[in-house]
Amino acid sequence: MTTGVYLITDYKGGILNVDGTLQGAYFKAKRLVEKANFPVNHIRILAMGSGQTFKYQDLMNREWH
């Protein structure tokens, strides 16, 4: 599990939430989609430090342990 700072953002770059792991950020994003009815394709997770961006819909098929 990779730790760091992961920003959960909308498609315009607005910060919706923050977590210290990619897995934690994924589950917070999942809650936004399920509870707040955010469109799946609007959620991004940005890894600070590396600058890597993950699309929520791409992470949905990942196995989380």
Side-chain angles (χ1 to χ4, degrees):
M1 180 178 346
T2 306
T3 60
V5 176
Y6 294 88
L7 302 178
I8 299 120
T9 66
D10 62 14
Y11 71 102
K12 293 181 182 178
I15 298 171
L16 304 171
N17 212 328
V18 177
D19 201 272
T21 65
L22 180 58
Q23 182 177 2
Y26 167 78
F27 285 110
K28 285 182 179 179
K30 183 177 180 179
R31 262 183 263 133
L32 285 171
V33 169
E34 292 173 351
K35 304 269 190 230
N37 294 320
F38 267 88
V40 170
N41 61 339
H42 284 197
I43 303 289
R44 306 278 188 274
I45 298 175
L46 175 63
M48 299 303 292
S50 71
Q52 189 173 9
T53 301
F54 301 91
K55 292 181 179 178
Y56 172 77
Q57 61 196 31
D58 293 342
L59 296 175
M60 291 172 62
N61 296 325
R62 189 180 265 198
E63 294 278 330
W64 299 101
H65 301 282

